[in-house]
Amino acid sequence: MNGPMNRRDCLKVLGLSGLATGLGSSRSQAQNVGESSGFQSSVLASHKVQSGWANATLVNGKVIQPQRELTILDSTDVLVVGGGPAGVVAAIAAQRAGANVTLVERYGHLGGLWTGGLVLLVLGHIVQGGKQVCQGIGEEIMGRLDKLDGAIIDRRSGVNPTVDAEAVKYVMVEMIEEAGVKTFLHCWGVDAIVNDNAVQGVVFESKSGRQAILAKIVIDATGDGDVFASAGAEFEHRSHNVGLVYRIGNLDRIDKDKAGDSPAPKRIGAHTPVPGVNWVNLRGPEVDGLDVATLTRMEMSHRKYIWSHIQKTRQTPGYEQVYLMETAPQLGVRITRVLQGLSTVSLDDLKAGTKFPDVVGVGGSESGNHGPWQIPYGALVPTKVENVLAAGRCISAEIRMADLVRLIPNCFVTGHAAGAAAAVAVQDGRRPRDVDVAKVQKILTEQGAYLG
Ligand SMILES: Cc1cc2nc3c(=O)[nH]c(=O)nc-3n(C[C@H](O)[C@H](O)[C@H](O)COP(=O)(O)OP(=O)(O)OC[C@H]3O[C@@H](n4cnc5c(N)ncnc54)[C@H](O)[C@@H]3O)c2cc1C
């Protein structure tokens, strides 16, 4: 096609040519002035007033939220809230096991901290002796990255691979679409819908307003336990280091002659699939990752620190061309709420190599420096509230295990388990606590997971 595309051509390319006809016939369109690139805009409604909007009101100095009916956006078997490593794997597992699944994510992309947090190094897929314990759908994601140009490096035995965040986002969309998972992005889960102590769905906020999604089983893969906490499940509220990861560029343009033998600047990070680009992990102080004022303070102070640190780096002879490429769009919150589950992952069990009859996954360690540790199904199930399962960094684990449980491959593993268990619960019409774990184990094994 020669010359600039008009709107119809553009929609044709996007496979939406029918839409072009439909929109053209029903809406009055205007050619905008001010930009010459052929954009078009239509008035969808004039003098519109938002209907059914019961505003909060100020009553005697208190803000009161009135009762109002919410639109039901969707009804599904399994609702997964949070599209990080755990949530994406959970959604694919449940859908492949025969359930209808809806996945909801507050940001515009999938991958959670792995992509939005720029946590690019995948630790924890192996155990002592080099055995790879993270298999199944998590490993399938890694295998797909292998096949893409520039998506992953260091995929060899005994080494921890590093990924490109954009490649991960791409692969996750591909796999979610292939599986047939219905997805809503830009949708923030704000409240569990609970009747008689059982979760019936979740209320979401988005640009479309406050809407509800009803579900037979909800998987909380928000990392922060937003859903199970709002449903009234018991949890432990923890603080942890909150950092901000960033990437720096032009490391392939260091002038080695100029740099000479003087020490290299500190904190220039580790390599990534993009030549000359490093990712830099930032530990940050131990704070409460649920407190909005603290989160704001962390974002601001980390940004100031990172900028001035890079300026100092650039003053080092030979490093003048190094630059700050990007800070992660998502703050590095490691741990906040942790479920109080029917079972709890513990360090003693790791040390003892305890085998659980309800094992649904095997966890790995940072550099293969521990033996395998089994994850019991009960660590995903709340002690009190029904119809909800936890997956990822917020499952039931004692504090000494938190830094292992939250590693990306271990989140794949618990996400996989939660997805399979949710599908079984739906098929058998049972509460998660009553699920036939043998059936869950069978599905997990069929889907390639390793259970020890
Ligand atoms: C700074 C830092 C460095 C790390 N380094 C490493 C490392 O080197 N190697 C490693 O393996 N691991 C590392 N980790 C840990 C790892 O990145 C995370 O623990 C892992 O990504 C957790 O996966 P998850 O799916 O449980 O949660 P997350 O990755 O946090 O994903 C949760 C998802 O839920 C969404 N969400 C949250 N709340 C809501 C809501 N209310 N409604 C809708 N969506 C919601 C989020 O946007 C996000 O997409 C690091 C973590 C941090 C913070």
Side-chain angles (χ1 to χ4, degrees), residues 375-424:
I375 301 164
Y377 173 59
L380 317 182
V381 187
T383 47
K384 289 182 185 141
V385 176
E386 308 297 347
N387 294 355
V388 65
L389 287 164
R393 63 184 165 91
C394 56
I395 67 159
S396 185
E398 64 169 15
I399 198 157
R400 296 183 299 172
M401 284 299 286
D403 290 328
L404 276 188
V405 166
R406 68 186 180 85
L407 295 177
I408 292 161
N410 297 331
C411 293
F412 288 153
V413 167
T414 56
H416 200 163
V424 173

Side-chain angles (χ1 to χ4, degrees), residues 81-88 104-107 109-115 117-124 187-190 202 204 220-227 241-245 279 281-283 330-335 366 391-394 402-403 405-412 414:
V81 187
V88 166
V104 178
E105 163 58 43
R106 68 178 156 167
Y107 293 139
H109 61 84
L110 301 173
L113 285 166
W114 196 17
T115 57
L118 285 177
V119 173
L120 305 181
L121 179 67
V122 180
L123 298 168
C187 218
W188 191 300
V190 291
V202 175
F204 293 90
D220 186 338
T222 61
D224 296 317
D226 288 6
V227 178
N241 301 88
V242 171
L244 184 65
V245 177
W279 77 286
N281 200 345
L282 196 155
R283 182 182 289 257
Q330 198 171 329
L331 192 65
V333 175
R334 290 173 169 89
I335 289 284
E366 202 163 307
R393 63 184 165 91
C394 56
D403 290 328
V405 166
R406 68 186 180 85
L407 295 177
I408 292 161
N410 297 331
C411 293
F412 288 153
T414 56

